[in-house]
């Protein structure tokens, strides 16, 4: 179980057991990204080995460079679990028309060997 | 009385949207950044431009704040820093200025020279390489902030070191982002 509420500078993180969805949404430029994401890394370490399936749903409009580093580490952990046979997929949302956000998503995708969908959202759509 | 009229004239002539001089805290960075973002949203510019300006601002201010903490600048009464966002000639300029230890100048200059020698493809490769590196324990950043700024900028970043005294230099950094 993990549920972290969003603040102005940090995203909401929530695990939905029924749909096997781990969702991160919001803005991500916390004071200390490594500290902020530490509970999620702990959760992944404890829970991920038992999960046969996980959908990673991401909708972050802006992430700073240290959050980007954390995101890459999360995706690496998920890829390792997929290599063990788990059904892991990524659904990455970005604001349609924002090329920079699309570039970032594609940069993440090109290094990963897991299903990775990049999906446009109406710009300014609320975080869900 | 402080000459606010003159200060305002300078702000206007340089197209300064936001300027802050003082010690940076996380809440201040957040508030100023959101104020700038709200202002840009009213201007109806491209969402990408808003994110680029905001991103450069965040990387600059968080770098300054983290450096100040790691190098204990408050204890030396050197934690006063500047950040300015301006709009002139169809471009946004995001600038920061802060004290750094003279000992740190060679490393920083070397990193900045490497970054300015690279084109967009080279920056992309360096960014990915740096993100893949192990983060040293206790680090608060991934060491990619400068590269991230350079990738969003339309021209090489401009920087200067001004000698303050035997121990400190004042470092200024400016990145230009395309308006529109």
């Amino acid at each position: 179980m993990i549920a972290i509420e969003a603040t102005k500078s940090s995203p909401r993180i929530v695990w939905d057991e029924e749909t096997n969805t781990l969702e991160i949404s919001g803005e991500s430029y916390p004071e200390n990204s490594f500290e902020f994401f530490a509970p999620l890394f702990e959760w992944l370490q404890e829970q991920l080995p038992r999960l046969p399936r996980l959908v990673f749903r991401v909708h972050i409009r802006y992430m700073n460079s240290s959050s980007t580093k954390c995101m890459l580490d999360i995706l690496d952990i998920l890829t390792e679990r997929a290599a063990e046979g788990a059904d892991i997929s990524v659904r990455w949302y970005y604001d349609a028309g924002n090329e920079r956000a699309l570039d970032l998503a594609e940069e993440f995708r090109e290094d990963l060997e897991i299903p990775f969908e990049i999906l446009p959202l109406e710009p300014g759509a609320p975080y869900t | 009385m402080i000459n606010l009229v003159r200060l305002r004239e300078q702000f206007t002539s340089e197209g300064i949207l936001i300027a802050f001089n003082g010690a940076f805290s996380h809440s201040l960075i957040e508030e100023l950044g959101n104020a700038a973002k709200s202002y840009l949203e009213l201007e109806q510019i491209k969402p990408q431009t808003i994110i680029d300006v905001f991103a450069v601002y965040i990387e600059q201010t968080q770098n300054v704040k983290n450096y100040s903490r790691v190098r204990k600048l408050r204890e030396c009464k050197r934690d006063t820093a500047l950040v300015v966002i301006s709009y002139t000639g169809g471009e946004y300029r995001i600038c920061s200025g802060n004290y750094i230890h003279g000992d740190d100048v060679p490393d920083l200059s070397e990193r900045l020279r490497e970054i300015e020698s690279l084109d967009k493809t080279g920056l992309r490769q360096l960014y990915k390489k740096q993100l893949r590196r192990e983060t040293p324990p206790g680090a608060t950043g991934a060491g990619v902030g400068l590269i991230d700024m350079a990738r969003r900028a339309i021209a090489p970043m401009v920087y200067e070191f001004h000698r303050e005294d035997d121990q400190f230099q004042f470092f200024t950094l400016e990145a230009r982002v395309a308006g529109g």
Side-chain angles (χ1 to χ4, degrees):
Chain A
M1 173 65 195
I2 185 160
I4 298 171
E5 278 310 311
T7 71
K8 258 184 212 165
S9 56
S10 61
R12 173 173 180 260
I13 302 179
V14 66
W15 164 246
D16 181 345
E17 215 166 42
E18 291 190 4
T19 58
N20 289 300
T21 304
L22 175 65
E23 182 169 316
I24 302 191
S25 61
E27 309 269 322
S28 191
Y29 55 100
E31 180 163 23
N32 184 332
S33 300
F34 303 127
E35 251 174 55
F36 173 78
F37 284 103
L40 177 58
F41 284 110
E42 263 169 53
W43 183 85
L44 285 169
Q45 202 174 6
E46 284 166 18
Q47 302 300 322
L48 194 59
R50 310 181 211 163
L51 295 172
R53 180 166 181 269
L54 183 144
V55 180
F56 186 39
R57 198 170 182 276
V58 184
H59 180 205
I60 297 186
R61 211 159 264 143
Y62 166 66
M63 65 176 100
N64 69 353
S65 56
S66 48
S67 297
T68 307
K69 167 71 179 161
C70 293
M71 181 59 69
L72 190 68
D73 292 344
I74 295 165
L75 291 167
D76 281 347
I77 291 170
L78 295 178
T79 306
E80 277 171 33
R81 181 70 185 118
E84 293 168 359
D87 174 11
I88 308 279
S89 61
V90 180
R91 293 174 72 81
W92 189 286
Y93 295 86
Y94 76 101
D95 286 355
N98 186 343
E99 291 159 42
R100 192 84 62 202
L102 178 60
D103 283 351
L104 180 71
E106 285 172 347
E107 277 175 36
F108 277 124
R109 179 165 69 180
E110 68 190 24
D111 292 340
L112 294 175
E113 284 163 15
I114 47 177
F116 194 118
E117 274 182 283
I118 301 176
L119 305 152
L121 277 182
E122 198 60 35
Y127 293 117
T128 51
Chain B
M1 186 180 165
I2 295 168
N3 196 333
L4 289 185
V5 172
R6 203 170 62 201
L7 194 58
R8 194 184 70 99
E9 278 165 4
Q10 199 192 341
F11 271 41
T12 308
S13 71
E14 302 210 26
I16 293 172
L17 308 174
I18 271 188
F20 177 79
N21 178 44
F24 292 5
S25 67
H26 179 67
S27 58
L28 181 110
I29 290 172
E30 215 178 62
E31 287 299 327
L32 269 185
N34 280 297
K37 200 156 68 173
S38 307
Y39 172 80
L40 296 174
E41 277 160 2
L42 287 176
E43 292 292 290
Q44 305 213 312
I45 56 174
K46 283 196 297 195
Q48 191 178 318
T49 305
I50 300 177
I51 292 183
D52 283 341
V53 171
F54 187 71
V56 172
Y57 161 85
I58 290 292
E59 296 300 334
Q60 282 187 353
T61 51
Q62 291 191 331
N63 265 355
V64 167
K65 182 181 154 289
N66 290 336
Y67 180 82
S68 172
R69 188 183 54 82
V70 171
R71 295 296 259 137
K72 298 190 171 21
L73 295 192
R74 182 183 296 176
E75 289 81 341
C76 319
K77 296 195 166 42
R78 292 286 185 175
D79 59 339
T80 298
L82 280 155
V83 65
V84 175
I85 302 177
S86 71
Y87 180 73
T88 43
E91 290 170 1
Y92 290 93
R93 287 164 194 259
I94 307 95
C95 320
S96 63
N98 64 309
Y99 290 107
I100 66 168
H101 281 271
D103 306 344
D104 295 326
V105 172
D107 276 357
L108 180 57
S109 313
E110 195 186 321
R111 291 181 56 205
L112 287 162
R113 275 197 302 271
E114 182 185 12
I115 289 170
E116 71 188 336
S117 73
L118 298 170
D119 61 7
K120 292 286 175 203
T121 313
L123 285 171
R124 186 179 200 269
Q125 284 163 354
L126 181 65
Y127 182 81
K128 293 188 86 163
K129 191 176 105 190
Q130 189 72 27
L131 271 187
R132 283 280 167 203
R133 276 174 42 166
E134 282 297 312
T135 310
T140 46
V144 291
L146 290 172
I147 312 168
D148 184 67
M149 286 180 229
R151 292 187 68 189
R152 296 176 191 272
I154 48 169
M157 297 191 289
V158 178
Y159 57 92
E160 282 172 18
F161 298 95
H162 297 264
R163 190 178 179 281
E164 184 76 10
D165 55 32
D166 287 346
Q167 208 187 347
F168 288 100
Q169 304 224 8
F170 194 70
F171 167 61
T172 59
L173 177 68
E174 178 183 282
R176 285 157 52 200
V177 168

